[in-house]
Amino acid sequence: MTTKPTLESIAAADLAQLQYLIDHTPGLYRHVFACQCLVSEQNLDELRQVVAEFFIDRQEAA
């Protein structure tokens, strides 16, 4: 996965890929934490949504 993932790649990402993005994208950990989204396999759909929202907001701000 690249540093600027597409929404399609986020939608298809597994937990390990999302965790990598969270660990290596400045501001994403804080965003996930602020949304009170658990990083777990059981919460994968919500986590994908929160990560996608972060990148959408970031793109709109640019």
Side-chain angles (χ1 to χ4, degrees), residues 2 16 25 42 48:
T2 64
T25 304
Q42 294 79 17
R48 287 179 180 134

Side-chain angles (χ1 to χ4, degrees), residues 12-55:
D14 63 21
L15 184 59
Q17 292 168 320
L18 292 172
Q19 184 66 54
Y20 179 86
L21 281 176
I22 292 167
D23 291 345
H24 293 91
T25 304
L28 183 52
Y29 176 84
R30 184 176 298 155
H31 178 75
V32 172
F33 184 77
C35 291
Q36 298 180 344
C37 182
L38 297 175
V39 179
S40 70
E41 196 70 44
Q42 294 79 17
N43 204 38
L44 199 51
D45 289 335
E46 183 181 353
L47 183 59
R48 287 179 180 134
Q49 181 66 35
V50 168
V51 170
E53 288 170 359
F54 173 82
F55 284 102

